[in-house]
Amino acid sequence: MRTDFILSAEIIVISLGTVAAAPLLQKVGVLTGIGLIMTVGVYGLVAGIVKLDDAGLHLSRSTGDCTFARGRRTLGAAILRAAPWLMKALSIAGTAAMFLVGGGILSHGVPALHHAVEFIAHGAGALGAVVPLIADGVVGIAAGALALAALSTFKSLRRATSAG
């Protein structure tokens, strides 16, 4: 859920950056549209994935001996076996996306860093297409590590001051 929230915030930041020079009414319209699309589309999909195991359980409990009922039970059992693996894969992909998108926002927001990445990508030949992706990932991980260190330090200081 935290990953979804952060990715949503990143999407809003990217969208706002895209229409930064537009009139206020256009900004409001674009952000409202993006918000509606994200809510219905993305979170509808997330809700469907979360309920996937319930659907698998329902299908696996189908009664009857006809081919259709056996097929439903087989499909339900397959969904139940695959659901935990899908959730693990999605959590890894979501975390990677969070670092990549966040790193991209940060690296595009720092002109010197953005130009350095473009320069390296230009000189990397065939690998030039993946250089910005790797750079965004590195920047995202570094920013995440700094944020974690700051949060950990803050929590330690707060515990120390409340204990004493």
Side-chain angles (χ1 to χ4, degrees):
M1 189 162 159
R2 184 181 308 149
T3 302
D4 291 338
F5 173 76
I6 291 170
L7 285 173
S8 296
E10 291 172 337
I11 290 168
I12 292 295
V13 168
I14 291 169
S15 302
L16 190 56
T18 303
V19 294
L24 179 62
L25 192 58
Q26 187 176 352
K27 288 179 191 177
V28 170
V30 167
L31 293 178
T32 301
I34 296 292
L36 289 172
I37 290 168
M38 284 177 16
T39 300
V40 173
V42 174
Y43 293 115
L45 179 64
V46 168
I49 292 169
V50 167
K51 297 303 259 175
L52 191 61
D53 57 343
D54 292 338
L57 184 61
H58 176 74
L59 289 171
S60 71
R61 290 181 175 170
S62 295
T63 58
D65 287 330
C66 68
T67 303
F68 184 68
R70 285 193 303 269
R72 286 174 53 124
R73 284 192 298 273
T74 301
L75 177 60
I79 290 171
L80 287 172
R81 279 192 304 278
W85 293 97
L86 175 66
M87 296 298 190
K88 288 176 187 174
L90 288 175
S91 70
I92 292 167
T95 302
M98 184 173 60
F99 285 127
L100 290 171
V101 173
I105 290 170
L106 292 173
S107 65
H108 284 83
V110 178
L113 180 58
H114 179 69
H115 294 307
V117 170
E118 285 181 339
F119 179 76
I120 294 168
H122 189 284
L127 295 176
V130 296
V131 168
L133 185 67
I134 293 169
D136 291 347
V138 169
V139 169
I141 290 170
L146 288 172
L148 180 62
L151 182 63
S152 297
T153 301
F154 175 75
K155 284 183 177 181
S156 295
L157 291 172
R158 197 167 98 197
R159 269 192 303 252
T161 56
S162 65

